[in-house]
Amino acid sequence: QNHTIRKISAAGEVTTLAGAAGVPGAADGSGGTARFRNPGAIAVAADGTVYVGDRGNYTLRRISPAGEVSTLAGVAGVLGAVDGTGADARLGVSEGLVVASDGTVYFTDAGNRLIRKATPAGVVTTLAGSAGAAGSADGTGAAARFGQPAGIAVDGDGNLLVADTVNHTLRKITPAGVVTTVAGMAGSPGLADGSGATVRFRAPYGVAAGSGGQIFVSDALNLVVRQLDAAGAVTTLASVANVPDAGVQAAPLAGLAVDADGSLLVADPGNHRLLRVALAGAVSQAFGAAPRPGAIDATADAARFSAPAALAAAADGTVYVADTANHVIRKISPAGVASTVAGLAGAVGSGDGTGSAARFSSPAGIAVALDGTVYVADTGNHAIRRISAAGEVTLLAGLPGSAGAGDGAGSGARFDTPRGLALEGSGQLLVADSGNHTLRRITAAGVVSTVAGLADSAGAIDGSGSAARLNLPWAVAVADDGTAYLSDQQNHLVRKITPAGVVSTLAGSAGASGDADGSGGTARFRAPAGLVLDADGNLFVVDRDSHALRKITPAGVVSTVAGRPGHAGVLTGALPGGLNLPLGLALGPAGELFATSENAVLRITFDPPLPVFGVGLWASQTALVEGGSLQLGWSARHATNCQASGDWSGAQAVAGSATLAPGAVGTYTYTLTCDEDGGGASKSATVVVTVSPPLPTLSLTASSVYVTPGASVTLTWSAANVTACSAAGAWSGARATSGSEAVAPATSPSR
């Protein structure tokens, strides 16, 4: 699926022989200028020429020892079953290919259900089968029938051995084109050793001939490697399921080949790797790396995680991990040493306690405070837990095992599958309450309120508070100015939420999934998950189903910075590298990103590093009436020595909030300046608040609105926040700001 041909040297060095990773096409050319489209079958001739069944292009390609790619037979994009020379031939999808000692290329044309051959000059003929006619009949040439021929090999006598996948059989074709069934019974899948029709396969795929006369078969859906000896007996050589650790994705096997030492290399495409099978049956991972699940505390790649979903980085570089499938909270030291903070791997529960005495259920959200307190979205328990610096786990909000949507205090509140967590500068916690389609807030005292969205009402509506609609919000991040950002996963959107709870769409188009970079609504996401902000306000998002890391500028411009959209697989090294279903994301103190992908925690570095030093200050309102008050909040990252100036003063913590009453009418300026922790820089943030005089109020009443001619009525009035009053209409002149006066209306009804 990289659309490339790779080469592994005898020393184990992997290089790309031809094609460009992630760029499909059909162009001939040299090395990286050539293009392939999902190449499958491959074989090497004695002279070093490489032959490739270019499946997506319906062609047979050839790569010279010098790396020059040419098309031997078929026409790119033109499907058919026509014999002929070069471009006059038409091919289907080739799943297997082998080169005989005389240079003849034999290949399986799976879509056409044929066994075909091509000379080095590109002359294509059909050896066995009838185009488009499915079956399992033995016979000669066109009288034979195949279901879906895949792998192919040549034995020492010049016979072809073919894995007939959907028939669950191994077939043999003599040089004269006589087809027989060697092992297995058509239409009878299973796993049984033996001889002839007593053997059972389940979708055999790859076939290779050993130097000792034996034939090896990758039994794809049985996840085993089988061996056919010279006497026709089939035995099971090795099981490659869950190798080398329990829990690796059990995916169908594909091709196999015999290495120079007699061992086998087996393609394990579901795990993006090659396995080595020794003739004694031992199995090991040879090339590629599917991060393997487990629950091992160790250093670097010796550690094991199981589907970790969320990350949080502390100021000292420690990374905390919600190790979801292990039901534990882990941490990774700056030196790469993984250890377990709380919970017991594999033990599901909801009990509070210290360290391994505590229990979690699929925790999938995590945040760490400046004082070392770790907050956990205990997703399977529908609760928010906290872990003290001493490792003691207690309940903050929600009731374990009880899903709901109610606001309230502590265990009186309810959540439904909460996931993402983020701390505001004031110390309050934001929660992406996925099952309720809402964003919630929890105070330090455990009081829960709903910030945006309406419980059980999924949608994609911008608006304020409960008028907005979200659909499976996954993760949340808070900027230095108090703005929150949310990955709205089922809507394929990234949303923006002001401190006042006003929701807008930053990037993406509701319901439209994709991988496109662009600005605002022209960009596309595919199930965005974890997100984090750098100090310049750039938002980084792991786009789960695109297998990519995306960047969104403050102006909403989206670009891809790591991973290759549409291509799954963990690939370390120079960017873009490779990701597979990334979920969690955290910004480290050195300007690096940490991401969860498969069963691993990855470090992504940039040159120059991402900015991490930032100072933010925000006010609950910037326009007040005289006598009112406001809430001032602030947050500084990787900072120290924060000092207030302007219309407030004194040393301040690096994060906090305060209630201020500006006082008289006028303009008030609040500035916070902090020094970079460990550096020589300083930054400031400023908020300007305008205080206006209160609006005037006035009341005027009459003792009666109906009087007889010549009678009087008493008018009473009262005014506040005014300096002068004057009468008009049927009375006139200056008046005090409050008082009463008897007046005698004229006799005219109009008066």
PDB file of all heavy atoms in Angstrom, residues 532-536 538-540 549 551 561 585-594 604-613 638:
ATOM      1  N   VAL A 532      -3.543  19.522  20.926  1.00  0.00           N
ATOM      2  CA  VAL A 532      -2.725  20.297  21.859  1.00  0.00           C
ATOM      3  C   VAL A 532      -2.309  21.593  21.174  1.00  0.00           C
ATOM      4  O   VAL A 532      -2.223  21.665  19.944  1.00  0.00           O
ATOM      5  CB  VAL A 532      -1.488  19.478  22.299  1.00  0.00           C
ATOM      6  CG1 VAL A 532      -0.489  19.338  21.167  1.00  0.00           C
ATOM      7  CG2 VAL A 532      -0.839  20.074  23.527  1.00  0.00           C
ATOM      8  N   LEU A 533      -2.054  22.626  21.970  1.00  0.00           N
ATOM      9  CA  LEU A 533      -1.668  23.939  21.452  1.00  0.00           C
ATOM     10  C   LEU A 533      -0.220  24.247  21.796  1.00  0.00           C
ATOM     11  O   LEU A 533       0.249  23.933  22.893  1.00  0.00           O
ATOM     12  CB  LEU A 533      -2.546  25.024  22.073  1.00  0.00           C
ATOM     13  CG  LEU A 533      -3.985  25.108  21.567  1.00  0.00           C
ATOM     14  CD1 LEU A 533      -4.906  25.407  22.724  1.00  0.00           C
ATOM     15  CD2 LEU A 533      -4.115  26.186  20.504  1.00  0.00           C
ATOM     16  N   ASP A 534       0.486  24.887  20.850  1.00  0.00           N
ATOM     17  CA  ASP A 534       1.804  25.415  21.200  1.00  0.00           C
ATOM     18  C   ASP A 534       1.640  26.863  21.669  1.00  0.00           C
ATOM     19  O   ASP A 534       0.534  27.420  21.679  1.00  0.00           O
ATOM     20  CB  ASP A 534       2.806  25.269  20.052  1.00  0.00           C
ATOM     21  CG  ASP A 534       2.535  26.190  18.863  1.00  0.00           C
ATOM     22  OD1 ASP A 534       1.728  27.131  18.989  1.00  0.00           O
ATOM     23  OD2 ASP A 534       3.140  25.965  17.799  1.00  0.00           O
ATOM     24  N   ALA A 535       2.750  27.485  22.076  1.00  0.00           N
ATOM     25  CA  ALA A 535       2.674  28.818  22.664  1.00  0.00           C
ATOM     26  C   ALA A 535       2.345  29.903  21.650  1.00  0.00           C
ATOM     27  O   ALA A 535       2.003  31.021  22.039  1.00  0.00           O
ATOM     28  CB  ALA A 535       3.987  29.139  23.362  1.00  0.00           C
ATOM     29  N   ASP A 536       2.440  29.608  20.344  1.00  0.00           N
ATOM     30  CA  ASP A 536       2.077  30.585  19.317  1.00  0.00           C
ATOM     31  C   ASP A 536       0.619  30.468  18.892  1.00  0.00           C
ATOM     32  O   ASP A 536       0.184  31.168  17.973  1.00  0.00           O
ATOM     33  CB  ASP A 536       2.977  30.415  18.087  1.00  0.00           C
ATOM     34  CG  ASP A 536       4.393  30.921  18.340  1.00  0.00           C
ATOM     35  OD1 ASP A 536       4.594  31.644  19.334  1.00  0.00           O
ATOM     36  OD2 ASP A 536       5.294  30.569  17.556  1.00  0.00           O
ATOM     37  N   ASN A 538      -0.775  27.726  17.599  1.00  0.00           N
ATOM     38  CA  ASN A 538      -1.017  26.689  16.600  1.00  0.00           C
ATOM     39  C   ASN A 538      -1.597  25.458  17.289  1.00  0.00           C
ATOM     40  O   ASN A 538      -1.127  25.048  18.355  1.00  0.00           O
ATOM     41  CB  ASN A 538       0.288  26.316  15.895  1.00  0.00           C
ATOM     42  CG  ASN A 538       0.858  27.473  15.107  1.00  0.00           C
ATOM     43  OD1 ASN A 538       0.206  28.011  14.229  1.00  0.00           O
ATOM     44  ND2 ASN A 538       2.088  27.868  15.441  1.00  0.00           N
ATOM     45  N   LEU A 539      -2.610  24.889  16.681  1.00  0.00           N
ATOM     46  CA  LEU A 539      -3.277  23.719  17.227  1.00  0.00           C
ATOM     47  C   LEU A 539      -2.839  22.479  16.452  1.00  0.00           C
ATOM     48  O   LEU A 539      -2.901  22.459  15.223  1.00  0.00           O
ATOM     49  CB  LEU A 539      -4.795  23.883  17.122  1.00  0.00           C
ATOM     50  CG  LEU A 539      -5.670  22.817  17.764  1.00  0.00           C
ATOM     51  CD1 LEU A 539      -5.535  22.845  19.270  1.00  0.00           C
ATOM     52  CD2 LEU A 539      -7.139  23.045  17.367  1.00  0.00           C
ATOM     53  N   PHE A 540      -2.387  21.452  17.160  1.00  0.00           N
ATOM     54  CA  PHE A 540      -1.991  20.194  16.542  1.00  0.00           C
ATOM     55  C   PHE A 540      -3.042  19.140  16.870  1.00  0.00           C
ATOM     56  O   PHE A 540      -3.483  19.024  18.021  1.00  0.00           O
ATOM     57  CB  PHE A 540      -0.609  19.762  17.022  1.00  0.00           C
ATOM     58  CG  PHE A 540       0.494  20.670  16.552  1.00  0.00           C
ATOM     59  CD1 PHE A 540       0.806  21.826  17.256  1.00  0.00           C
ATOM     60  CD2 PHE A 540       1.204  20.387  15.397  1.00  0.00           C
ATOM     61  CE1 PHE A 540       1.805  22.685  16.817  1.00  0.00           C
ATOM     62  CE2 PHE A 540       2.203  21.229  14.945  1.00  0.00           C
ATOM     63  CZ  PHE A 540       2.503  22.389  15.656  1.00  0.00           C
ATOM     64  N   LEU A 549      -0.864  13.511  11.614  1.00  0.00           N
ATOM     65  CA  LEU A 549      -0.826  14.635  12.540  1.00  0.00           C
ATOM     66  C   LEU A 549      -1.030  15.897  11.723  1.00  0.00           C
ATOM     67  O   LEU A 549      -0.284  16.171  10.785  1.00  0.00           O
ATOM     68  CB  LEU A 549       0.514  14.675  13.276  1.00  0.00           C
ATOM     69  CG  LEU A 549       0.781  15.910  14.140  1.00  0.00           C
ATOM     70  CD1 LEU A 549      -0.175  15.955  15.319  1.00  0.00           C
ATOM     71  CD2 LEU A 549       2.228  15.913  14.627  1.00  0.00           C
ATOM     72  N   LYS A 551      -1.842  20.239  11.552  1.00  0.00           N
ATOM     73  CA  LYS A 551      -1.589  21.518  12.222  1.00  0.00           C
ATOM     74  C   LYS A 551      -2.610  22.532  11.739  1.00  0.00           C
ATOM     75  O   LYS A 551      -2.886  22.632  10.540  1.00  0.00           O
ATOM     76  CB  LYS A 551      -0.171  21.998  11.905  1.00  0.00           C
ATOM     77  CG  LYS A 551       0.165  23.386  12.431  1.00  0.00           C
ATOM     78  CD  LYS A 551       1.565  23.799  11.961  1.00  0.00           C
ATOM     79  CE  LYS A 551       1.898  25.231  12.335  1.00  0.00           C
ATOM     80  NZ  LYS A 551       3.246  25.625  11.844  1.00  0.00           N
ATOM     81  N   VAL A 561       1.573  17.486   9.025  1.00  0.00           N
ATOM     82  CA  VAL A 561       2.979  17.610   9.418  1.00  0.00           C
ATOM     83  C   VAL A 561       3.634  16.268   9.731  1.00  0.00           C
ATOM     84  O   VAL A 561       4.862  16.181   9.778  1.00  0.00           O
ATOM     85  CB  VAL A 561       3.138  18.559  10.623  1.00  0.00           C
ATOM     86  CG1 VAL A 561       2.740  19.966  10.249  1.00  0.00           C
ATOM     87  CG2 VAL A 561       2.327  18.079  11.822  1.00  0.00           C
ATOM     88  N   LEU A 585      -2.374  12.999  22.274  1.00  0.00           N
ATOM     89  CA  LEU A 585      -1.346  13.954  21.883  1.00  0.00           C
ATOM     90  C   LEU A 585      -1.027  14.843  23.074  1.00  0.00           C
ATOM     91  O   LEU A 585      -1.926  15.256  23.818  1.00  0.00           O
ATOM     92  CB  LEU A 585      -1.837  14.801  20.711  1.00  0.00           C
ATOM     93  CG  LEU A 585      -0.804  15.640  19.970  1.00  0.00           C
ATOM     94  CD1 LEU A 585       0.220  14.736  19.275  1.00  0.00           C
ATOM     95  CD2 LEU A 585      -1.476  16.541  18.945  1.00  0.00           C
ATOM     96  N   ALA A 586       0.268  15.128  23.270  1.00  0.00           N
ATOM     97  CA  ALA A 586       0.697  16.014  24.347  1.00  0.00           C
ATOM     98  C   ALA A 586       1.922  16.790  23.891  1.00  0.00           C
ATOM     99  O   ALA A 586       2.728  16.296  23.096  1.00  0.00           O
ATOM    100  CB  ALA A 586       1.013  15.216  25.614  1.00  0.00           C
ATOM    101  N   LEU A 587       2.071  18.017  24.407  1.00  0.00           N
ATOM    102  CA  LEU A 587       3.220  18.862  24.115  1.00  0.00           C
ATOM    103  C   LEU A 587       4.206  18.765  25.263  1.00  0.00           C
ATOM    104  O   LEU A 587       3.852  19.018  26.421  1.00  0.00           O
ATOM    105  CB  LEU A 587       2.773  20.310  23.929  1.00  0.00           C
ATOM    106  CG  LEU A 587       3.870  21.360  23.719  1.00  0.00           C
ATOM    107  CD1 LEU A 587       4.606  21.109  22.412  1.00  0.00           C
ATOM    108  CD2 LEU A 587       3.270  22.760  23.750  1.00  0.00           C
ATOM    109  N   GLY A 588       5.445  18.383  24.950  1.00  0.00           N
ATOM    110  CA  GLY A 588       6.473  18.259  25.962  1.00  0.00           C
ATOM    111  C   GLY A 588       7.179  19.575  26.228  1.00  0.00           C
ATOM    112  O   GLY A 588       7.103  20.518  25.428  1.00  0.00           O
ATOM    113  N   PRO A 589       7.914  19.660  27.334  1.00  0.00           N
ATOM    114  CA  PRO A 589       8.561  20.920  27.718  1.00  0.00           C
ATOM    115  C   PRO A 589       9.694  21.339  26.795  1.00  0.00           C
ATOM    116  O   PRO A 589      10.099  22.493  26.804  1.00  0.00           O
ATOM    117  CB  PRO A 589       9.080  20.623  29.130  1.00  0.00           C
ATOM    118  CG  PRO A 589       9.224  19.141  29.186  1.00  0.00           C
ATOM    119  CD  PRO A 589       8.128  18.603  28.339  1.00  0.00           C
ATOM    120  N   ALA A 590      10.218  20.417  25.994  1.00  0.00           N
ATOM    121  CA  ALA A 590      11.307  20.756  25.073  1.00  0.00           C
ATOM    122  C   ALA A 590      10.799  21.063  23.669  1.00  0.00           C
ATOM    123  O   ALA A 590      11.581  21.109  22.724  1.00  0.00           O
ATOM    124  CB  ALA A 590      12.321  19.619  25.026  1.00  0.00           C
ATOM    125  N   GLY A 591       9.475  21.272  23.527  1.00  0.00           N
ATOM    126  CA  GLY A 591       8.914  21.597  22.220  1.00  0.00           C
ATOM    127  C   GLY A 591       8.700  20.402  21.331  1.00  0.00           C
ATOM    128  O   GLY A 591       8.558  20.546  20.114  1.00  0.00           O
ATOM    129  N   GLU A 592       8.644  19.192  21.922  1.00  0.00           N
ATOM    130  CA  GLU A 592       8.340  17.994  21.165  1.00  0.00           C
ATOM    131  C   GLU A 592       6.887  17.593  21.395  1.00  0.00           C
ATOM    132  O   GLU A 592       6.237  18.093  22.323  1.00  0.00           O
ATOM    133  CB  GLU A 592       9.266  16.836  21.568  1.00  0.00           C
ATOM    134  CG  GLU A 592       8.966  16.222  22.947  1.00  0.00           C
ATOM    135  CD  GLU A 592       9.627  16.931  24.097  1.00  0.00           C
ATOM    136  OE1 GLU A 592       9.368  18.147  24.276  1.00  0.00           O
ATOM    137  OE2 GLU A 592      10.365  16.283  24.857  1.00  0.00           O
ATOM    138  N   LEU A 593       6.355  16.741  20.549  1.00  0.00           N
ATOM    139  CA  LEU A 593       5.021  16.192  20.740  1.00  0.00           C
ATOM    140  C   LEU A 593       5.139  14.715  21.088  1.00  0.00           C
ATOM    141  O   LEU A 593       6.028  14.018  20.597  1.00  0.00           O
ATOM    142  CB  LEU A 593       4.171  16.356  19.478  1.00  0.00           C
ATOM    143  CG  LEU A 593       3.778  17.786  19.095  1.00  0.00           C
ATOM    144  CD1 LEU A 593       2.994  17.775  17.792  1.00  0.00           C
ATOM    145  CD2 LEU A 593       2.961  18.450  20.187  1.00  0.00           C
ATOM    146  N   PHE A 594       4.224  14.248  21.925  1.00  0.00           N
ATOM    147  CA  PHE A 594       4.106  12.830  22.227  1.00  0.00           C
ATOM    148  C   PHE A 594       2.749  12.370  21.712  1.00  0.00           C
ATOM    149  O   PHE A 594       1.736  13.052  21.900  1.00  0.00           O
ATOM    150  CB  PHE A 594       4.216  12.578  23.730  1.00  0.00           C
ATOM    151  CG  PHE A 594       5.549  12.974  24.312  1.00  0.00           C
ATOM    152  CD1 PHE A 594       5.724  14.218  24.873  1.00  0.00           C
ATOM    153  CD2 PHE A 594       6.618  12.100  24.275  1.00  0.00           C
ATOM    154  CE1 PHE A 594       6.949  14.597  25.400  1.00  0.00           C
ATOM    155  CE2 PHE A 594       7.850  12.458  24.797  1.00  0.00           C
ATOM    156  CZ  PHE A 594       8.016  13.713  25.358  1.00  0.00           C
ATOM    157  N   ILE A 604       7.647  12.948  18.682  1.00  0.00           N
ATOM    158  CA  ILE A 604       7.771  13.632  17.393  1.00  0.00           C
ATOM    159  C   ILE A 604       8.503  14.943  17.646  1.00  0.00           C
ATOM    160  O   ILE A 604       8.006  15.810  18.375  1.00  0.00           O
ATOM    161  CB  ILE A 604       6.390  13.894  16.762  1.00  0.00           C
ATOM    162  CG1 ILE A 604       5.599  12.587  16.633  1.00  0.00           C
ATOM    163  CG2 ILE A 604       6.543  14.557  15.399  1.00  0.00           C
ATOM    164  CD1 ILE A 604       4.157  12.776  16.214  1.00  0.00           C
ATOM    165  N   THR A 605       9.674  15.095  17.069  1.00  0.00           N
ATOM    166  CA  THR A 605      10.469  16.299  17.280  1.00  0.00           C
ATOM    167  C   THR A 605      10.475  17.169  16.033  1.00  0.00           C
ATOM    168  O   THR A 605      10.270  16.688  14.915  1.00  0.00           O
ATOM    169  CB  THR A 605      11.918  15.940  17.658  1.00  0.00           C
ATOM    170  OG1 THR A 605      12.496  15.137  16.614  1.00  0.00           O
ATOM    171  CG2 THR A 605      11.957  15.160  18.963  1.00  0.00           C
ATOM    172  N   PHE A 606      10.723  18.457  16.243  1.00  0.00           N
ATOM    173  CA  PHE A 606      10.710  19.430  15.157  1.00  0.00           C
ATOM    174  C   PHE A 606      11.982  20.281  15.241  1.00  0.00           C
ATOM    175  O   PHE A 606      12.564  20.454  16.309  1.00  0.00           O
ATOM    176  CB  PHE A 606       9.482  20.343  15.270  1.00  0.00           C
ATOM    177  CG  PHE A 606       8.170  19.611  15.201  1.00  0.00           C
ATOM    178  CD1 PHE A 606       7.584  19.098  16.353  1.00  0.00           C
ATOM    179  CD2 PHE A 606       7.519  19.431  13.997  1.00  0.00           C
ATOM    180  CE1 PHE A 606       6.379  18.422  16.308  1.00  0.00           C
ATOM    181  CE2 PHE A 606       6.310  18.751  13.939  1.00  0.00           C
ATOM    182  CZ  PHE A 606       5.744  18.244  15.093  1.00  0.00           C
ATOM    183  N   ASP A 607      12.400  20.798  14.096  1.00  0.00           N
ATOM    184  CA  ASP A 607      13.548  21.674  14.033  1.00  0.00           C
ATOM    185  C   ASP A 607      13.129  22.964  13.316  1.00  0.00           C
ATOM    186  O   ASP A 607      12.905  22.959  12.107  1.00  0.00           O
ATOM    187  CB  ASP A 607      14.706  21.000  13.288  1.00  0.00           C
ATOM    188  CG  ASP A 607      15.986  21.820  13.328  1.00  0.00           C
ATOM    189  OD1 ASP A 607      16.061  22.742  14.166  1.00  0.00           O
ATOM    190  OD2 ASP A 607      16.896  21.529  12.536  1.00  0.00           O
ATOM    191  N   PRO A 608      12.997  24.083  14.042  1.00  0.00           N
ATOM    192  CA  PRO A 608      13.226  24.242  15.484  1.00  0.00           C
ATOM    193  C   PRO A 608      12.098  23.636  16.300  1.00  0.00           C
ATOM    194  O   PRO A 608      11.020  23.357  15.753  1.00  0.00           O
ATOM    195  CB  PRO A 608      13.265  25.764  15.639  1.00  0.00           C
ATOM    196  CG  PRO A 608      12.350  26.252  14.553  1.00  0.00           C
ATOM    197  CD  PRO A 608      12.584  25.341  13.385  1.00  0.00           C
ATOM    198  N   PRO A 609      12.323  23.458  17.612  1.00  0.00           N
ATOM    199  CA  PRO A 609      11.264  22.902  18.461  1.00  0.00           C
ATOM    200  C   PRO A 609      10.038  23.811  18.480  1.00  0.00           C
ATOM    201  O   PRO A 609      10.123  25.022  18.202  1.00  0.00           O
ATOM    202  CB  PRO A 609      11.930  22.833  19.851  1.00  0.00           C
ATOM    203  CG  PRO A 609      13.390  22.853  19.579  1.00  0.00           C
ATOM    204  CD  PRO A 609      13.571  23.694  18.349  1.00  0.00           C
ATOM    205  N   LEU A 610       8.906  23.244  18.834  1.00  0.00           N
ATOM    206  CA  LEU A 610       7.690  24.038  18.959  1.00  0.00           C
ATOM    207  C   LEU A 610       7.825  24.993  20.145  1.00  0.00           C
ATOM    208  O   LEU A 610       8.447  24.654  21.154  1.00  0.00           O
ATOM    209  CB  LEU A 610       6.478  23.123  19.165  1.00  0.00           C
ATOM    210  CG  LEU A 610       6.198  22.103  18.069  1.00  0.00           C
ATOM    211  CD1 LEU A 610       4.992  21.257  18.441  1.00  0.00           C
ATOM    212  CD2 LEU A 610       5.970  22.786  16.729  1.00  0.00           C
ATOM    213  N   PRO A 611       7.267  26.194  20.046  1.00  0.00           N
ATOM    214  CA  PRO A 611       7.327  27.125  21.175  1.00  0.00           C
ATOM    215  C   PRO A 611       6.450  26.643  22.329  1.00  0.00           C
ATOM    216  O   PRO A 611       5.305  26.225  22.118  1.00  0.00           O
ATOM    217  CB  PRO A 611       6.802  28.433  20.581  1.00  0.00           C
ATOM    218  CG  PRO A 611       5.950  28.007  19.432  1.00  0.00           C
ATOM    219  CD  PRO A 611       6.571  26.766  18.882  1.00  0.00           C
ATOM    220  N   VAL A 612       6.983  26.695  23.540  1.00  0.00           N
ATOM    221  CA  VAL A 612       6.242  26.201  24.707  1.00  0.00           C
ATOM    222  C   VAL A 612       6.024  27.273  25.762  1.00  0.00           C
ATOM    223  O   VAL A 612       5.187  27.103  26.652  1.00  0.00           O
ATOM    224  CB  VAL A 612       6.956  24.987  25.342  1.00  0.00           C
ATOM    225  CG1 VAL A 612       6.995  23.819  24.376  1.00  0.00           C
ATOM    226  CG2 VAL A 612       8.360  25.352  25.815  1.00  0.00           C
ATOM    227  N   PHE A 613       6.772  28.383  25.702  1.00  0.00           N
ATOM    228  CA  PHE A 613       6.660  29.434  26.709  1.00  0.00           C
ATOM    229  C   PHE A 613       5.575  30.412  26.290  1.00  0.00           C
ATOM    230  O   PHE A 613       5.668  31.071  25.252  1.00  0.00           O
ATOM    231  CB  PHE A 613       8.010  30.142  26.858  1.00  0.00           C
ATOM    232  CG  PHE A 613       7.988  31.370  27.723  1.00  0.00           C
ATOM    233  CD1 PHE A 613       7.260  31.403  28.912  1.00  0.00           C
ATOM    234  CD2 PHE A 613       8.700  32.502  27.351  1.00  0.00           C
ATOM    235  CE1 PHE A 613       7.246  32.542  29.702  1.00  0.00           C
ATOM    236  CE2 PHE A 613       8.696  33.643  28.142  1.00  0.00           C
ATOM    237  CZ  PHE A 613       7.957  33.662  29.320  1.00  0.00           C
ATOM    238  N   HIS A 638       5.444  26.951  31.232  1.00  0.00           N
ATOM    239  CA  HIS A 638       6.908  26.923  31.301  1.00  0.00           C
ATOM    240  C   HIS A 638       7.431  28.293  31.692  1.00  0.00           C
ATOM    241  O   HIS A 638       8.308  28.867  31.048  1.00  0.00           O
ATOM    242  CB  HIS A 638       7.491  26.455  29.973  1.00  0.00           C
ATOM    243  CG  HIS A 638       7.015  25.092  29.589  1.00  0.00           C
ATOM    244  ND1 HIS A 638       7.496  23.948  30.165  1.00  0.00           N
ATOM    245  CD2 HIS A 638       6.050  24.704  28.723  1.00  0.00           C
ATOM    246  CE1 HIS A 638       6.868  22.899  29.657  1.00  0.00           C
ATOM    247  NE2 HIS A 638       5.982  23.340  28.784  1.00  0.00           N
TER     248      HIS A 638
END
